[in-house]
Amino acid sequence: MEVIINPTPEAASQLAARKIAALVRANPGSVLGLATGGSPVAVYRELIRMHQQEGLDFSRVTTFNLDEYLGLGPAHPASYFNFMWTNLFQHINVRPERVHLPDGLAENVPASCLAYENAIREAGGIDLQLLGIGSDGHIAFNEPASSLSSRTRIKTLTERTRSDNASFFGEGEEVPHHVITMGVGTIMEAREVVLLGFGKGKADAMAAAIEGPVTQMVPASALQFHERACFLLDEASSSKLQRGEYYRHVFANKPAWQRV
Ligand code: PGA
C-alpha cells in the first residue's frame, strides 16, 4: 500500500491525473474505473486540460463507474450519469458506447447487476480504479458491514451518507435510499486502485482504512489486501495517521524510476 500525503487536495489530484494519463498513454485501450463525488472533480479537470492542451487521447478508453442512484435516470441532475458527462465525458473524446454506469432505472436489478459484472469482465477487467472514501470508511456505496467479497448489487444508504450527499440534490429534494454499486470484491479485482480523501472529515476514515484492522466495518480497509493500492491524502485527512512521518519519508526518497 502506498500512502502519499500531499500539501493540498489540488496537488493530490494532479498526481492522480498524472497516474491516469501515464496509463492511457502507455495503453490507449485502458479500462478506467471512475468515481463521482467531490473528491475526483479536480482530477477530471486536469484530465480535461491534458486532453485539450496535450492531446491526451481517450478515444479507445473504456470506463466503468462505481455506482448510481436507483430511481434516477440519466437526465436527472443528481444522477451519476449526469455528473460524469458534466464533469468529464463531454469535455474529452471518450466514445459514448465505451462509457458504462450502473442503470439507475433497471427494472430487473439483479439481472442488471450481473450484466454490469459481465461487461467489466468482457472488457478485460479494470486497469485502474479511482475511489473516494466516505466519512464512515465506505468505498463506492459499500457501507459499513458490506461483505468484503461483495459484487455489484443493490445497497441501502445510511442516513450519514444520504446527508453527506444531500448537497448534490436540489432544495427539498429527497436523496434516494437505494443505489446500485460495485462490490468490494469487484473493486479488489481492479489491477490498480487510487483512493482520494481530503479534509478533516476524512481523517478518521483514512486512519481506520490504512492503519486499522481489516474489517467489513471499514470497507476501505479491504484495500490492505490489494497488491497495488495508492492512498492520496492532504494534510488534514492525514492528521490521524500514526505513521505520517514514515509515509512522507518514503515519498521524499522514492527512486526516480518510481515517480509519476
Ligand atoms: P466525496 O465522497 O468525494 O464527495 O467526499 C466520497 C464518498 O462518499 O465515497
Side-chain angles (χ1 to χ4, degrees):
M1 173 181 282
E2 188 174 20
V3 179
I4 304 179
I5 303 170
N6 297 268
T8 60
E10 205 52 46
S13 303
Q14 299 264 337
L15 194 53
R18 286 208 301 279
K19 269 180 181 289
I20 294 170
L23 181 73
V24 171
R25 286 194 184 105
N27 173 14
S30 292
V31 179
L32 301 179
L34 299 177
T36 52
S39 307
V41 171
V43 179
Y44 297 153
R45 209 180 299 129
E46 177 63 6
L47 290 176
I48 293 166
R49 191 199 62 74
M50 288 170 159
H51 169 68
Q52 292 173 345
Q53 295 178 11
E54 297 169 12
L56 184 61
D57 180 17
F58 291 90
S59 63
R60 289 170 55 200
V61 164
T62 298
T63 70
F64 287 92
N65 262 81
L66 288 167
D67 42 20
E68 181 59 284
Y69 291 107
L70 209 48
L72 300 196
H76 194 288
S79 72
Y80 286 164
F81 182 99
N82 183 58
F83 177 101
M84 288 307 301
W85 280 94
T86 305
N87 287 287
L88 180 63
F89 297 149
Q90 72 178 16
H91 308 287
I92 60 174
N93 63 336
V94 71
R95 305 237 312 251
E97 65 273 21
R98 291 191 190 271
V99 162
H100 305 83
L101 285 99
D103 179 6
L105 298 180
E107 282 181 14
N108 183 338
V109 172
S112 181
C113 292
L114 194 58
Y116 203 67
E117 289 276 334
N118 288 338
I120 294 173
R121 207 164 294 129
E122 277 158 24
I126 292 170
D127 291 306
L128 184 149
Q129 177 67 58
L130 197 60
L131 291 173
I133 184 169
S135 58
D136 58 4
H138 71 225
I139 45 175
F141 272 137
N142 295 285
E143 298 283 30
S146 287
S147 160
L148 300 185
S149 300
S150 50
R151 312 301 308 192
T152 303
R153 69 211 184 289
I154 187 172
K155 282 296 285 182
T156 306
L157 297 182
T158 62
E159 284 311 302
R160 179 167 174 184
T161 299
R162 289 182 70 239
S163 119
D164 282 350
N165 289 1
S167 64
F168 292 97
F169 286 78
E171 189 73 31
E173 208 178 353
E174 270 264 291
V175 181
H177 289 271
H178 291 106
V179 295
I180 294 178
T181 181
M182 277 188 208
V184 180
T186 320
I187 293 166
M188 289 294 285
E189 281 175 12
R191 286 183 271 279
E192 182 176 1
V193 170
V194 175
L195 183 148
L196 312 163
F198 311 127
K200 237 174 71 192
K202 300 289 169 75
D204 285 321
M206 281 296 202
I210 295 167
E211 296 179 338
V214 174
T215 164
Q216 65 178 6
M217 295 311 288
V218 182
S221 68
L223 296 173
Q224 292 177 28
F225 277 118
H226 198 286
E227 198 181 349
R228 279 186 82 190
C230 176
F231 281 68
L232 295 176
L233 303 89
D234 66 348
E235 294 290 344
S237 66
S238 71
S239 61
K240 302 262 174 87
L241 292 174
Q242 297 183 20
R243 314 245 305 153
E245 282 319 307
Y246 176 67
Y247 308 133
R248 286 179 213 275
H249 175 75
V250 170
F251 188 65
N253 292 285
K254 254 177 183 290
W257 59 266
Q258 264 194 341
R259 294 186 176 272
V260 186

